[in-house]
Amino acid sequence: QVQLVQSGGGLVQPGGSLRLSCAASGIIFSGYTMGWYRQAPGKQRELVAAIGSFGSTNYADSVKGRFTISRDSAQKTAYLQMNSLKPEDTGVYYCAIAGRWWGQGTQVTVSS
């Protein structure tokens, strides 16, 4: 059974940083693309960042230069480092493998 367990998130002031983690089990982690998505209140879920099995990355325009996605295949964990956070980054963040298996979601709130 594939499981993704997220950690991190919380409340941070504008300009602050957070790091999200996503630990996978029950799957050959290194063979899949990992993605981080977010869903803001009243909006559709959107892809924030993704990292391929060989480390290629892509980002939503809104987070380029501020967010960094990475993965540790030995630990079966993906990360999302979020810097220079803005209020519009507020939402529930989800990790996913190949858009098929999903983490439980974690709230990120950027507010003063």
Side-chain angles (χ1 to χ4, degrees):
Q1 181 181 358
V2 179
Q3 280 194 314
L4 300 180
V5 178
Q6 297 180 220
S7 59
L11 173 64
V12 65
Q13 292 187 340
S17 298
L18 285 173
R19 189 174 85 154
L20 306 182
S21 299
C22 175
S25 61
I27 192 169
I28 302 175
F29 178 81
S30 59
Y32 292 90
T33 293
M34 292 288 301
W36 285 97
Y37 297 74
R38 70 183 176 196
Q39 187 162 19
K43 295 188 177 180
Q44 289 190 329
R45 191 175 298 186
E46 63 173 343
L47 177 66
V48 173
I51 184 166
S53 57
F54 294 104
S56 60
T57 59
N58 64 280
Y59 297 91
D61 287 343
S62 59
V63 307
K64 281 181 182 176
R66 301 188 297 121
F67 290 13
T68 302
I69 188 171
S70 60
R71 65 192 297 163
D72 182 335
S73 292
Q75 297 296 321
K76 294 188 176 182
T77 301
Y79 303 95
L80 185 67
Q81 177 67 42
M82 304 183 292
N83 298 328
S84 302
L85 282 160
K86 303 176 181 180
E88 51 264 42
D89 295 317
T90 294
V92 179
Y93 284 70
Y94 300 88
C95 64
I97 292 180
R100 176 178 176 181
W101 297 283
W102 293 82
Q104 80 274 20
T106 186
Q107 177 70 44
V108 171
T109 302
V110 185
S111 175
S112 55

